[in-house]
Coordinates of all heavy atoms in Angstrom, one line a residue:
M1 N 59.4 269.3 -151.7 CA 58.0 269.6 -152.0 C 57.4 268.4 -152.7 O 58.0 267.8 -153.6 CB 58.0 270.8 -152.9 CG 56.7 271.3 -153.3 SD 56.9 272.9 -154.2 CE 55.2 273.4 -154.2
A2 N 56.2 268.0 -152.3 CA 55.5 266.9 -152.9 C 54.9 267.2 -154.2 O 54.4 268.3 -154.4 CB 54.5 266.4 -151.9
N3 N 54.9 266.2 -155.1 CA 54.2 266.5 -156.4 C 52.7 266.3 -156.1 O 52.2 265.9 -155.1 CB 54.7 265.5 -157.5 CG 54.4 264.1 -157.2 OD1 53.3 263.7 -156.7 ND2 55.3 263.2 -157.6
S4 N 51.9 266.7 -157.1 CA 50.4 266.7 -156.9 C 49.8 265.4 -156.7 O 48.9 265.2 -155.9 CB 49.7 267.4 -158.1 OG 50.0 266.7 -159.3
Q5 N 50.4 264.3 -157.3 CA 49.9 263.0 -157.1 C 50.2 262.5 -155.7 O 49.3 261.9 -155.1 CB 50.6 262.0 -158.1 CG 50.0 260.6 -158.1 CD 50.6 259.7 -159.2 OE1 51.6 260.0 -159.7 NE2 49.9 258.7 -159.5
T6 N 51.3 262.8 -155.2 CA 51.7 262.4 -153.8 C 50.8 263.2 -152.8 O 50.3 262.6 -151.9 CB 53.1 262.7 -153.5 OG1 54.0 262.0 -154.4 CG2 53.5 262.3 -152.1
A7 N 50.6 264.4 -153.1 CA 49.7 265.3 -152.2 C 48.3 264.8 -152.2 O 47.7 264.7 -151.2 CB 49.8 266.7 -152.6
T8 N 47.8 264.3 -153.4 CA 46.5 263.8 -153.5 C 46.3 262.5 -152.7 O 45.4 262.3 -151.9 CB 46.1 263.6 -154.9 OG1 46.1 264.8 -155.6 CG2 44.7 263.0 -155.0
A9 N 47.3 261.6 -152.8 CA 47.3 260.3 -152.1 C 47.4 260.6 -150.6 O 46.6 259.9 -149.8 CB 48.5 259.5 -152.5
E10 N 48.2 261.5 -150.2 CA 48.3 261.8 -148.7 C 47.0 262.3 -148.2 O 46.5 262.0 -147.1 CB 49.4 262.8 -148.5 CG 50.8 262.3 -148.7 CD 51.9 263.3 -148.6 OE1 51.6 264.5 -148.5 OE2 53.1 262.9 -148.6
A11 N 46.4 263.2 -149.0 CA 45.1 263.8 -148.5 C 44.0 262.7 -148.4 O 43.2 262.7 -147.5 CB 44.7 264.9 -149.5
L12 N 43.9 261.9 -149.4 CA 42.9 260.8 -149.4 C 43.2 259.8 -148.3 O 42.2 259.4 -147.6 CB 42.8 260.0 -150.7 CG 42.2 260.8 -151.9 CD1 42.4 260.0 -153.2 CD2 40.8 261.1 -151.6
A13 N 44.4 259.5 -148.0 CA 44.8 258.5 -147.0 C 44.5 259.0 -145.6 O 44.3 258.2 -144.7 CB 46.2 258.1 -147.2
T14 N 44.5 260.2 -145.4 CA 44.3 260.8 -144.1 C 42.9 261.4 -143.9 O 42.6 261.9 -142.8 CB 45.3 261.8 -143.7 OG1 45.3 262.8 -144.7 CG2 46.7 261.2 -143.7
S15 N 42.0 261.4 -144.9 CA 40.7 261.9 -144.8 C 39.8 260.9 -144.2 O 39.8 259.7 -144.5 CB 40.1 262.2 -146.2 OG 40.9 263.2 -146.8
K16 N 39.0 261.4 -143.2 CA 38.0 260.5 -142.5 C 37.0 259.9 -143.6 O 36.4 260.7 -144.3 CB 37.3 261.3 -141.4 CG 36.5 260.4 -140.5 CD 36.0 261.2 -139.3 CE 35.4 260.2 -138.4 NZ 35.7 260.5 -137.0
G17 N 36.8 258.6 -143.5 CA 35.9 258.0 -144.4 C 36.4 257.6 -145.8 O 35.7 257.1 -146.6
A18 N 37.6 258.0 -146.1 CA 38.1 257.8 -147.5 C 38.5 256.3 -147.7 O 38.5 255.8 -148.8 CB 39.3 258.7 -147.7
L19 N 38.9 255.6 -146.6 CA 39.3 254.2 -146.7 C 38.3 253.4 -146.0 O 37.6 253.8 -145.1 CB 40.7 254.0 -146.1 CG 41.8 254.8 -146.7 CD1 43.1 254.6 -145.9 CD2 42.0 254.2 -148.1
P20 N 38.2 252.1 -146.3 CA 37.3 251.2 -145.6 C 37.6 251.1 -144.2 O 38.7 251.3 -143.7 CB 37.5 249.8 -146.3 CG 38.2 250.1 -147.5 CD 38.9 251.4 -147.4
N21 N 36.5 250.9 -143.4 CA 36.7 250.8 -141.9 C 37.2 249.4 -141.5 O 36.4 248.5 -141.3 CB 35.4 251.2 -141.2 CG 35.5 251.2 -139.7 OD1 36.6 251.4 -139.2 ND2 34.4 251.1 -139.0
R22 N 38.5 249.3 -141.5 CA 39.1 248.0 -141.1 C 40.3 248.4 -140.2 O 40.8 249.5 -140.2 CB 39.4 247.1 -142.2 CG 40.3 247.7 -143.3 CD 40.6 246.5 -144.3 NE 40.4 247.0 -145.6 CZ 41.0 246.4 -146.6 NH1 41.7 245.3 -146.5 NH2 40.8 246.8 -147.9
N23 N 40.8 247.4 -139.6 CA 41.9 247.6 -138.6 C 43.2 248.1 -139.3 O 43.9 248.9 -138.7 CB 42.1 246.4 -137.8 CG 41.0 246.1 -136.8 OD1 40.3 247.0 -136.4 ND2 40.8 244.9 -136.5
L24 N 43.5 247.5 -140.5 CA 44.7 247.8 -141.1 C 44.5 247.8 -142.6 O 43.9 246.9 -143.2 CB 45.7 246.7 -140.7 CG 47.2 246.9 -141.1 CD1 47.8 248.1 -140.4 CD2 47.9 245.6 -140.9
S25 N 45.1 248.9 -143.3 CA 45.0 248.9 -144.7 C 46.4 249.2 -145.3 O 47.1 249.9 -144.8 CB 44.1 250.1 -145.2 OG 42.8 250.0 -144.7
L26 N 46.6 248.5 -146.4 CA 47.9 248.7 -147.1 C 47.6 249.8 -148.2 O 46.8 249.6 -149.1 CB 48.3 247.4 -147.8 CG 49.6 247.5 -148.7 CD1 50.8 248.0 -148.0 CD2 49.9 246.1 -149.3
I27 N 48.2 250.9 -148.1 CA 47.9 252.0 -149.0 C 49.0 252.3 -150.0 O 48.8 253.1 -150.9 CB 47.6 253.3 -148.2 CG1 48.7 253.8 -147.3 CG2 46.3 253.1 -147.4 CD1 48.5 255.1 -146.7
G28 N 50.2 251.7 -149.8 CA 51.3 252.0 -150.8 C 52.5 251.0 -150.7 O 52.7 250.5 -149.6
L29 N 53.2 250.9 -151.7 CA 54.4 250.1 -151.8 C 55.5 250.9 -152.5 O 55.2 251.7 -153.4 CB 54.2 248.8 -152.6 CG 53.1 247.9 -152.1 CD1 52.7 246.8 -153.2 CD2 53.5 247.2 -150.8
F30 N 56.7 250.8 -152.0 CA 57.8 251.5 -152.6 C 59.1 250.8 -152.4 O 59.2 249.9 -151.6 CB 57.8 252.9 -152.2 CG 58.1 253.1 -150.7 CD1 59.4 253.3 -150.2 CD2 57.0 253.0 -149.8 CE1 59.6 253.4 -148.9 CE2 57.2 253.2 -148.4 CZ 58.5 253.4 -148.0
G31 N 60.1 251.2 -153.2 CA 61.5 250.6 -153.0 C 61.8 249.7 -154.2 O 61.0 249.4 -155.0
S32 N 63.0 249.2 -154.1 CA 63.4 248.3 -155.2 C 62.8 246.9 -155.0 O 62.3 246.6 -153.9 CB 65.0 248.1 -155.2 OG 65.4 247.5 -154.0
E33 N 62.8 246.1 -156.0 CA 62.2 244.8 -155.9 C 62.8 243.9 -154.8 O 62.1 243.1 -154.2 CB 62.3 244.0 -157.3 CG 61.6 242.8 -157.4 CD 61.7 242.1 -158.8 OE1 61.6 242.9 -159.7 OE2 61.8 240.9 -158.8
N34 N 64.0 244.1 -154.5 CA 64.7 243.3 -153.5 C 64.6 244.0 -152.1 O 65.1 243.4 -151.1 CB 66.2 243.1 -153.8 CG 66.3 242.2 -155.1 OD1 65.5 241.4 -155.4 ND2 67.3 242.5 -155.9
N35 N 64.1 245.2 -152.0 CA 64.0 245.9 -150.7 C 62.8 246.7 -150.6 O 62.8 247.9 -150.4 CB 65.3 246.8 -150.6 CG 65.4 247.4 -149.2 OD1 65.0 246.8 -148.2 ND2 66.0 248.5 -149.1
M36 N 61.6 246.1 -150.9 CA 60.4 246.8 -150.8 C 59.9 247.1 -149.4 O 60.2 246.4 -148.5 CB 59.3 246.0 -151.6 CG 59.5 245.9 -153.0 SD 58.0 245.3 -153.9 CE 57.1 246.8 -154.0
Q37 N 59.3 248.3 -149.3 CA 58.7 248.7 -148.0 C 57.2 249.0 -148.3 O 56.8 249.2 -149.5 CB 59.4 249.9 -147.5 CG 60.8 249.6 -147.1 CD 61.5 250.8 -146.5 OE1 61.0 251.5 -145.7 NE2 62.7 251.1 -147.0
A38 N 56.4 249.2 -147.3 CA 55.0 249.5 -147.5 C 54.5 250.5 -146.5 O 55.1 250.7 -145.4 CB 54.2 248.2 -147.2
L39 N 53.5 251.2 -146.9 CA 52.8 252.2 -146.1 C 51.5 251.5 -145.6 O 50.7 251.1 -146.5 CB 52.4 253.5 -146.8 CG 53.6 254.4 -147.2 CD1 53.1 255.5 -148.0 CD2 54.2 254.9 -145.9
V40 N 51.3 251.4 -144.3 CA 50.1 250.9 -143.8 C 49.3 251.9 -143.0 O 50.0 252.8 -142.4 CB 50.3 249.6 -142.9 CG1 50.9 248.5 -143.7 CG2 51.2 249.9 -141.7
R41 N 48.0 251.9 -143.0 CA 47.2 252.8 -142.3 C 46.4 252.0 -141.3 O 45.7 251.1 -141.6 CB 46.3 253.6 -143.2 CG 45.4 254.6 -142.5 CD 44.5 255.3 -143.5 NE 43.8 256.4 -142.9 CZ 42.5 256.2 -142.3 NH1 42.0 255.0 -142.3 NH2 41.9 257.2 -141.8
Y42 N 46.5 252.4 -140.0 CA 45.8 251.8 -138.9 C 44.4 252.4 -138.8 O 44.2 253.5 -139.3 CB 46.5 252.0 -137.6 CG 47.9 251.3 -137.6 CD1 49.0 251.9 -138.0 CD2 48.0 249.9 -137.2 CE1 50.3 251.2 -138.0 CE2 49.2 249.2 -137.2 CZ 50.3 249.9 -137.6 OH 51.5 249.3 -137.6
A43 N 43.5 251.8 -138.2 CA 42.1 252.3 -138.0 C 42.1 253.7 -137.3 O 41.2 254.5 -137.6 CB 41.3 251.3 -137.2
S44 N 43.1 254.0 -136.5 CA 43.2 255.2 -135.9 C 43.6 256.4 -136.8 O 43.5 257.5 -136.5 CB 44.3 255.2 -134.8 OG 45.6 255.0 -135.4
G45 N 44.0 256.0 -138.1 CA 44.4 257.0 -139.0 C 45.9 257.2 -139.1 O 46.4 257.8 -140.0
R46 N 46.6 256.6 -138.2 CA 48.1 256.6 -138.2 C 48.7 255.9 -139.4 O 48.2 254.8 -139.7 CB 48.7 256.1 -136.9 CG 50.2 256.2 -136.7 CD 50.6 255.8 -135.4 NE 50.2 254.4 -135.0 CZ 51.0 253.4 -135.0 NH1 52.3 253.5 -135.3 NH2 50.6 252.2 -134.7
I47 N 49.6 256.4 -140.0 CA 50.3 255.8 -141.2 C 51.7 255.5 -140.8 O 52.4 256.3 -140.2 CB 50.3 256.7 -142.4 CG1 48.8 256.9 -142.8 CG2 51.1 256.2 -143.5 CD1 48.6 257.9 -144.0
E48 N 52.2 254.3 -141.2 CA 53.5 253.9 -140.8 C 54.2 253.1 -142.0 O 53.5 252.4 -142.7 CB 53.4 252.9 -139.6 CG 54.7 252.4 -139.0 CD 54.4 251.6 -137.8 OE1 54.3 252.2 -136.7 OE2 54.3 250.3 -137.9
T49 N 55.5 253.3 -142.1 CA 56.3 252.6 -143.1 C 56.7 251.3 -142.4 O 57.2 251.3 -141.3 CB 57.5 253.4 -143.5 OG1 57.0 254.6 -144.1 CG2 58.3 252.6 -144.5
V50 N 56.6 250.1 -143.1 CA 57.0 248.8 -142.5 C 57.8 248.1 -143.6 O 57.8 248.4 -144.8 CB 55.7 248.0 -142.1 CG1 54.9 248.6 -141.0 CG2 54.8 247.7 -143.3
K51 N 58.6 247.1 -143.1 CA 59.4 246.3 -144.0 C 59.3 244.8 -143.5 O 58.8 244.5 -142.4 CB 60.8 246.8 -144.0 CG 61.5 246.9 -142.7 CD 62.8 247.6 -142.8 CE 63.4 247.8 -141.5 NZ 64.7 248.5 -141.5
T52 N 59.9 244.0 -144.3 CA 59.9 242.5 -144.0 C 60.5 242.3 -142.7 O 61.5 242.9 -142.3 CB 60.7 241.8 -145.1 OG1 60.0 242.0 -146.4 CG2 60.7 240.3 -144.9
G53 N 59.9 241.4 -141.9 CA 60.4 241.0 -140.6 C 59.7 241.7 -139.4 O 59.8 241.3 -138.3
E54 N 59.0 242.8 -139.7 CA 58.4 243.6 -138.7 C 57.0 242.9 -138.3 O 56.5 242.2 -139.1 CB 58.1 245.0 -139.1 CG 59.4 245.8 -139.2 CD 59.2 247.3 -139.5 OE1 58.1 247.8 -139.4 OE2 60.2 247.9 -139.9
R55 N 56.5 243.2 -137.2 CA 55.3 242.7 -136.7 C 54.2 243.7 -136.8 O 54.4 244.9 -136.5 CB 55.4 242.2 -135.2 CG 56.2 241.0 -135.1 CD 56.0 240.3 -133.8 NE 56.6 239.0 -133.8 CZ 56.1 237.9 -134.2 NH1 54.9 237.9 -134.7 NH2 56.7 236.8 -134.2
L56 N 53.0 243.3 -137.2 CA 51.8 244.1 -137.2 C 50.7 243.4 -136.3 O 51.0 242.2 -135.9 CB 51.3 244.2 -138.6 CG 52.2 244.9 -139.6 CD1 51.6 244.7 -141.0 CD2 52.3 246.4 -139.3
S57 N 49.6 244.0 -136.1 CA 48.5 243.4 -135.4 C 48.1 242.1 -136.1 O 47.6 241.2 -135.4 CB 47.3 244.3 -135.2 OG 46.9 244.7 -136.5
L58 N 48.2 242.0 -137.4 CA 47.8 240.7 -138.1 C 48.9 239.6 -138.0 O 48.5 238.5 -138.3 CB 47.6 241.1 -139.6 CG 46.5 242.1 -139.9 CD1 46.5 242.3 -141.4 CD2 45.2 241.5 -139.4
G59 N 50.1 239.9 -137.7 CA 51.2 238.9 -137.6 C 52.5 239.5 -138.1 O 52.6 240.7 -138.2
R60 N 53.4 238.6 -138.4 CA 54.8 239.1 -138.9 C 54.8 239.1 -140.4 O 54.4 238.2 -141.1 CB 55.8 238.1 -138.4 CG 57.2 238.5 -138.6 CD 58.3 237.5 -138.0 NE 58.1 236.2 -138.5 CZ 58.7 235.7 -139.6 NH1 59.6 236.5 -140.3 NH2 58.5 234.5 -140.0
I61 N 55.4 240.2 -140.9 CA 55.5 240.4 -142.3 C 56.7 239.5 -142.8 O 57.8 239.7 -142.4 CB 55.8 241.9 -142.7 CG1 54.7 242.8 -142.2 CG2 56.0 242.0 -144.2 CD1 55.1 244.2 -142.3
I62 N 56.4 238.5 -143.7 CA 57.5 237.6 -144.2 C 57.9 238.0 -145.5 O 59.0 237.6 -146.0 CB 57.0 236.1 -144.1 CG1 55.8 235.9 -144.9 CG2 56.8 235.7 -142.6 CD1 55.5 234.4 -145.1
A63 N 57.1 238.8 -146.3 CA 57.6 239.3 -147.6 C 56.7 240.4 -148.0 O 55.5 240.6 -147.6 CB 57.5 238.1 -148.6
I64 N 57.3 241.3 -148.9 CA 56.5 242.3 -149.5 C 56.8 242.2 -151.0 O 58.0 242.2 -151.4 CB 57.0 243.7 -149.0 CG1 56.8 243.8 -147.5 CG2 56.2 244.8 -149.7 CD1 57.3 245.1 -146.9
D65 N 55.8 242.2 -151.8 CA 55.9 242.2 -153.3 C 54.9 243.2 -153.9 O 54.2 243.8 -153.2 CB 55.8 240.8 -153.9 CG 54.4 240.1 -153.6 OD1 53.4 240.8 -153.4 OD2 54.4 238.9 -153.7
Q66 N 54.9 243.2 -155.2 CA 54.0 244.2 -155.9 C 52.5 243.9 -155.7 O 51.7 244.8 -155.9 CB 54.3 244.2 -157.4 CG 53.9 243.0 -158.2 CD 55.0 241.9 -158.1 OE1 56.0 242.0 -157.4 NE2 54.9 240.8 -158.9
N67 N 52.2 242.8 -155.1 CA 50.8 242.4 -154.8 C 50.3 242.7 -153.4 O 49.2 242.5 -153.0 CB 50.5 241.0 -155.2 CG 50.7 240.7 -156.6 OD1 50.2 241.4 -157.5 ND2 51.5 239.7 -156.9
G68 N 51.3 243.0 -152.5 CA 51.0 243.3 -151.1 C 51.9 242.7 -150.1 O 53.1 242.4 -150.5
L69 N 51.4 242.5 -148.9 CA 52.2 241.9 -147.8 C 51.8 240.5 -147.6 O 50.6 240.1 -147.6 CB 51.9 242.7 -146.5 CG 52.1 244.2 -146.5 CD1 51.8 244.7 -145.1 CD2 53.5 244.6 -146.8
L70 N 52.8 239.6 -147.4 CA 52.6 238.3 -147.0 C 52.8 238.3 -145.5 O 53.9 238.7 -145.0 CB 53.5 237.3 -147.7 CG 53.2 237.0 -149.1 CD1 54.3 236.1 -149.7 CD2 51.8 236.4 -149.3
I71 N 51.8 237.8 -144.7 CA 51.9 237.9 -143.3 C 51.6 236.5 -142.7 O 50.7 235.8 -143.1 CB 50.8 238.9 -142.7 CG1 51.1 240.3 -143.3 CG2 50.8 238.9 -141.2 CD1 50.0 241.3 -143.0
E72 N 52.5 236.2 -141.7 CA 52.4 234.9 -141.1 C 51.8 235.1 -139.7 O 52.2 236.0 -138.9 CB 53.8 234.2 -140.9 CG 53.7 232.9 -140.2 CD 55.1 232.3 -139.9 OE1 56.0 233.1 -139.7 OE2 55.2 231.1 -140.0
R73 N 50.8 234.3 -139.4 CA 50.1 234.4 -138.1 C 49.7 233.0 -137.7 O 49.0 232.3 -138.4 CB 48.9 235.2 -138.2 CG 48.1 235.4 -136.9 CD 46.9 236.3 -137.1 NE 46.3 236.6 -135.8 CZ 45.4 237.5 -135.6 NH1 45.0 238.2 -136.6 NH2 44.9 237.6 -134.4
R74 N 50.2 232.6 -136.6 CA 49.9 231.2 -136.0 C 50.2 230.1 -137.0 O 49.5 229.2 -137.2 CB 48.5 231.1 -135.5 CG 48.2 232.1 -134.4 CD 46.8 231.9 -133.9 NE 46.4 233.0 -133.0 CZ 45.3 233.7 -133.2 NH1 44.5 233.5 -134.2 NH2 45.1 234.7 -132.4
G75 N 51.3 230.2 -137.7 CA 51.8 229.2 -138.6 C 51.1 229.2 -140.0 O 51.4 228.4 -140.9
E76 N 50.2 230.2 -140.2 CA 49.5 230.3 -141.5 C 49.9 231.6 -142.2 O 50.2 232.6 -141.5 CB 48.0 230.2 -141.4 CG 47.5 228.8 -140.9 CD 46.0 228.7 -140.9 OE1 45.4 229.5 -141.7 OE2 45.5 227.9 -140.2
V77 N 50.0 231.5 -143.5 CA 50.4 232.7 -144.3 C 49.2 233.3 -145.0 O 48.5 232.5 -145.7 CB 51.5 232.4 -145.2 CG1 51.9 233.6 -146.1 CG2 52.8 231.9 -144.5
G78 N 49.0 234.6 -144.9 CA 47.9 235.2 -145.7 C 48.5 236.5 -146.3 O 49.6 236.9 -146.1
R79 N 47.7 237.0 -147.2 CA 48.1 238.2 -148.0 C 47.2 239.4 -147.6 O 46.0 239.3 -147.5 CB 48.0 238.0 -149.4 CG 48.4 239.2 -150.2 CD 48.5 239.0 -151.7 NE 49.5 238.1 -152.1 CZ 50.8 238.4 -152.3 NH1 51.2 239.6 -152.0 NH2 51.7 237.5 -152.7
L80 N 47.9 240.6 -147.3 CA 47.2 241.8 -147.2 C 47.4 242.6 -148.5 O 48.5 243.1 -148.8 CB 47.7 242.6 -146.0 CG 47.0 244.0 -145.8 CD1 45.5 243.9 -145.5 CD2 47.7 244.8 -144.7
P81 N 46.4 242.6 -149.4 CA 46.6 243.2 -150.7 C 46.6 244.8 -150.6 O 46.0 245.3 -149.6 CB 45.4 242.7 -151.5 CG 44.3 242.5 -150.5 CD 45.0 242.1 -149.2
I82 N 47.1 245.4 -151.6 CA 47.1 246.8 -151.6 C 45.7 247.3 -151.8 O 44.9 246.6 -152.5 CB 48.1 247.4 -152.7 CG1 48.2 248.9 -152.5 CG2 47.6 247.0 -154.1 CD1 49.4 249.5 -153.2
L83 N 45.3 248.3 -151.2 CA 43.9 248.8 -151.2 C 43.6 249.4 -152.6 O 44.3 250.1 -153.2 CB 43.8 250.0 -150.2 CG 42.4 250.5 -150.0 CD1 41.5 249.5 -149.4 CD2 42.5 251.7 -149.0
T84 N 42.5 248.9 -153.2 CA 42.0 249.4 -154.5 C 40.5 249.7 -154.3 O 39.9 249.3 -153.4 CB 42.2 248.3 -155.6 OG1 41.5 247.2 -155.2 CG2 43.7 248.0 -155.8
N85 N 40.1 250.5 -155.3 CA 38.6 250.8 -155.3 C 37.8 249.7 -155.8 O 37.9 249.0 -156.6 CB 38.4 252.1 -156.0 CG 38.9 253.3 -155.2 OD1 39.0 253.3 -154.0 ND2 39.2 254.4 -156.0

């Protein structure tokens, strides 16, 4: 059974118009410091758990830390920060 905070986050993340209209949003981070994973939300509303080494439409995830995802694309590294208001 989910706690109320988790249930609220799930409801907001899947509500139409609750998140900015962009192709990919980072909505959560979890796991130990050495084994972090992330929840990403695609423009379609689909939510997926990802980890270092996986590929997204933006590029390959090279690291996950408390500030977001580091993504390599065409030899350049950028950050997808966690979504905030």
Side-chain angles (χ1 to χ4, degrees):
M1 184 172 191
N3 66 38
S4 63
Q5 187 176 19
T6 301
T8 300
E10 289 173 351
L12 288 173
T14 56
S15 296
K16 191 171 186 135
L19 296 173
N21 186 17
R22 56 174 133 162
N23 293 331
L24 188 68
S25 297
L26 174 57
I27 60 172
L29 300 166
F30 62 95
S32 66
E33 189 175 319
N34 296 327
N35 189 28
M36 291 193 79
Q37 296 182 47
L39 287 175
V40 295
R41 182 180 184 270
Y42 296 91
S44 67
R46 183 172 58 105
I47 296 175
E48 183 175 275
T49 300
V50 297
K51 56 187 175 183
T52 301
E54 293 186 14
R55 291 197 168 275
L56 299 170
S57 58
L58 298 176
R60 186 175 60 89
I61 302 169
I62 59 170
I64 302 174
D65 62 22
Q66 68 275 8
N67 297 312
L69 305 180
L70 286 176
I71 300 176
E72 179 184 33
R73 182 178 186 170
R74 298 185 192 127
E76 293 190 21
V77 176
R79 180 175 292 280
L80 179 63
I82 192 160
L83 187 62
T84 60
N85 287 337

